[in-house]
Amino acid sequence: MPPYDLLIRGNIVAPSGVIANGWVAISGERIAAIGDGDEPLANPLHDFGSSYVLPGLIDGQTHAGSQFGFPGIEPTTRSAIVGGITTMVDMPYDEPRPVDHIDVLDAKAAAIAKHAYCDAALYATIPSVPNVDDIHALVRGGAVAFKISSFENHPVRITNEHTLTLLEALAETDIPTGLHNERSGHREGGDRAVYGPGTHSAGRP
């Protein structure tokens, strides 16, 4: 048996620079070795000649489930692969329910395992009134980050008080939080409505 499952030849774009006439050896769907010169045994061997072999890209903000629910995973990941994206990080605002509870996270992870063409990492979020136990369960369940919005959250916004609840719950972890730091409808601290594209920058200093 060859020691590697797959070998790819070409001009390999690596962190240190381009390896001319190089190769990448794959074992168990992971890069096992990179080099040049005589390649190790592998079956199959894909030789791309002088073409560049690029690392897969990471798309850090996709919305596979935001419009069609979990069935959106299949076309989103197919499109990702065609575009050279091998890992996506999917937002939590899915239909019909956002990823704000461990049951939803588990169901989405199962759907990805069944339907995805690329690797995926998952954001979680919180409801308008968060439960700290749910936050910890989502972290244990594998959420790589949380995403919240101060102007809407499917469809209600997260207040400053509940933003603080999330941040305090995550303080002892290495899980980051993404925040749409905007307020819709009114200026912060005022009561005058702000509408139209001309007011966007003034309303969001």
Side-chain angles (χ1 to χ4, degrees):
M1 287 285 293
Y4 297 112
D5 302 331
L6 169 67
L7 198 89
I8 300 170
R9 257 203 176 281
N11 289 325
I12 308 299
V13 178
S16 58
V18 176
I19 303 172
N21 194 28
W23 48 263
V24 176
I26 309 297
S27 183
E29 298 187 357
R30 294 181 178 271
I31 295 175
I34 300 174
D36 59 3
D38 294 335
E39 71 266 8
L41 292 175
N43 184 24
L45 164 65
H46 296 296
D47 190 342
F48 293 98
S50 61
S51 296
Y52 289 101
V53 177
L54 301 171
L57 302 176
I58 299 172
D59 188 336
Q61 182 169 337
T62 61
H63 288 269
S66 295
Q67 185 172 4
F68 302 113
F70 293 162
I73 291 168
E74 191 270 345
T76 301
T77 56
R78 282 175 62 96
S79 299
I81 288 293
V82 169
I85 294 163
T86 56
T87 300
M88 70 179 198
V89 189
D90 203 56
M91 293 289 115
Y93 298 114
D94 297 332
E95 289 289 348
R97 181 178 171 186
V99 183
D100 60 3
H101 190 272
I102 187 61
D103 291 347
V104 184
L105 181 71
D106 288 345
K108 189 171 185 179
I112 286 171
K114 183 177 181 180
H115 298 296
Y117 285 81
C118 70
D119 292 334
L122 297 180
Y123 276 86
T125 190
I126 57 175
S128 56
V129 180
N131 181 302
V132 173
D133 290 338
D134 289 340
I135 295 169
H136 291 315
L138 288 161
V139 171
R140 291 192 302 271
V144 300
F146 280 72
K147 183 67 175 288
I148 59 174
S149 174
S150 61
F151 70 97
E152 67 174 345
N153 179 53
H154 208 268
V156 297
R157 67 181 179 87
I158 301 299
T159 65
N160 291 341
E161 174 189 358
H162 294 131
T163 297
L164 183 60
T165 298
L166 174 64
L167 296 177
E168 289 177 341
L170 297 178
E172 301 302 319
T173 76
D174 60 355
I175 303 296
T177 298
L179 170 65
H180 273 297
N181 191 21
E182 301 175 317
R183 297 291 295 273
S184 64
H186 295 81
R187 293 180 186 271
E188 183 72 25
D191 59 359
R192 186 164 67 85
V194 179
Y195 299 107
T199 63
H200 184 274
S201 293
R204 292 158 174 83

